[in-house]
Amino acid sequence: MLIDRAGLAEFLRRRREALQPEDVGLPRGSRRRTSGLRREEVAALCHMSADYYARLERERGPQPSEQMIAAIAQGLRLSLDERDHLFRLAGHNPPVRGAVSEHISPGMLRIFDRLHDTPAEIVTELGETLRQTPVGVALTGDLTSFSGPARSLGYRWFTDPATRALYAPEDHPFLTRMFASGLRGILTLRGPESRAAHLADLLLEQSDEFRKVWDEHEIGIRPHEVKRFVHPEVGALELTCQTLLDPNQSHFLLVHTAIPGSESAEKLSLLSVIGAQTLH
């Protein structure tokens, strides 16, 4: 496919002008004259240089890669139809939709952008973290930094002792059963050629504990509403986890809150300060 430079530039401009700062969690400010977002704001949302993005809007520069287009689609909060249109304008075939897609829906991102003072993350059905709030990073570390099979929390549970250290030791036996049960359910749903099946094969090779619990063939073990974390700086926290599901993409928005006035609430306030410091 050939790139449609004029069409790409016009579409990018129109989508940028349609977005308002509050749509993406940015302050409007009293001196704003631009009707929508500024180019440098969109570039920051897309994790690219302002010069690179500006050249695309001016019909200049090399053909953007699929990775760049995916980042722009996410930064501009495009729907799946808009994302696919953007890919075609850039001369690429659109990515597949469904459970393997990492494109987060605009609606879920709008909610996520308003949770800046709360531990929250967006994850795939395999427990791969796609986005975290700063307080979420302060609570569990940057979970978006993992690559390969280790992106999956369930995989890390059986292969990385540091992952277990984040959770109360008395909960470990239950969590072991829960992660194995969850992976089996996804494998059954997605089939023997799925990524879930690949993770199960890896864990069967690498973890005696996984093999033992896998042989129990348990299914349907659900997470507890209250999660008990162990933070290296503030200690133990009990947080209630609320979940919002995007069924079209099989993404989950996890939001952790503490009972007002509790010790965990005080510790969350401290983590909010720690999270803010990581941004400077």
Side-chain angles (χ1 to χ4, degrees):
M1 298 174 65
L2 297 177
I3 182 173
D4 179 353
R5 291 193 178 275
L8 176 63
E10 181 181 5
F11 185 64
L12 291 177
R13 283 195 301 270
R14 295 297 186 187
R15 295 309 306 145
R16 174 174 61 82
E17 292 168 354
L19 276 177
Q20 301 303 315
E22 52 270 26
D23 294 333
V24 296
L26 295 175
R28 170 166 290 277
S30 58
R31 298 183 178 181
R32 176 173 293 270
R33 298 177 182 177
T34 309
S35 59
L37 293 182
R38 302 184 181 99
R39 289 192 181 95
E40 56 268 27
E41 291 172 330
V42 170
L45 291 170
C46 301
H47 306 289
M48 61 184 60
S49 72
D51 177 68
Y52 182 90
Y53 179 80
R55 281 186 290 164
L56 292 178
E57 284 201 5
R58 293 168 181 155
E59 305 180 30
R60 296 166 53 194
Q63 180 183 19
S65 67
E66 294 182 13
Q67 292 78 10
M68 282 292 192
I69 291 300
I72 292 172
Q74 197 68 89
L76 287 173
R77 308 305 198 250
L78 300 186
S79 67
L80 282 174
D81 288 338
E82 291 170 330
R83 180 204 66 173
D84 292 354
H85 180 65
L86 181 66
F87 266 83
R88 294 186 181 100
L89 289 174
H92 299 295
N93 289 318
V96 296
R97 301 190 182 194
V100 298
S101 173
E102 296 189 3
H103 182 79
I104 305 168
S105 71
M108 183 167 282
L109 275 179
R110 282 193 292 270
I111 299 171
F112 177 83
D113 288 335
R114 287 159 172 76
L115 299 172
H116 53 84
D117 60 348
T118 303
E121 60 181 316
I122 298 174
V123 302
T124 69
E125 64 182 9
L126 291 175
E128 301 156 325
T129 300
L130 304 178
R131 291 285 180 99
Q132 272 179 294
T133 59
V135 191
V137 175
L139 176 64
T140 62
D142 184 2
L143 303 182
T144 66
S145 63
F146 292 98
S147 60
R151 293 183 65 203
S152 167
L153 174 58
Y155 178 86
R156 295 198 306 275
W157 180 259
F158 292 99
T159 59
D160 179 15
T163 294
R164 298 197 174 201
L166 293 170
Y167 298 87
E170 55 268 32
D171 294 337
H172 288 190
F174 169 79
L175 291 173
T176 294
R177 296 171 55 224
M178 184 196 75
F179 284 124
S181 166
L183 183 58
R184 184 178 291 281
I186 298 170
L187 191 161
T188 303
L189 177 65
R190 304 302 178 193
E193 303 300 321
S194 64
R195 293 166 61 226
H198 176 62
L199 286 178
D201 289 341
L202 289 176
L203 288 172
L204 287 169
E205 294 175 3
Q206 299 173 13
S207 171
D208 292 336
E209 181 187 29
F210 179 80
R211 284 194 294 272
K212 182 178 179 180
V213 71
W214 189 254
D215 286 343
E216 296 297 324
H217 211 110
E218 291 186 295
I219 198 72
I221 299 177
R222 304 299 180 189
H224 292 154
E225 184 178 4
V226 176
K227 295 185 179 181
R228 296 190 287 185
F229 294 92
V230 180
H231 191 273
E233 295 183 52
V234 302
L237 300 95
E238 289 193 0
L239 303 178
T240 299
C241 181
Q242 301 294 333
T243 303
L244 175 67
L245 167 66
D246 177 358
N248 294 323
Q249 295 292 89
S250 296
H251 291 164
F252 299 84
L253 172 60
L254 309 180
V255 183
H256 295 92
T257 61
I259 297 174
S262 66
E263 183 179 349
S264 292
E266 295 178 1
K267 293 178 178 180
L268 263 191
S269 297
L270 180 56
L271 284 178
S272 297
V273 176
I274 296 173
Q277 290 173 346
T278 62
L279 299 178
H280 296 88

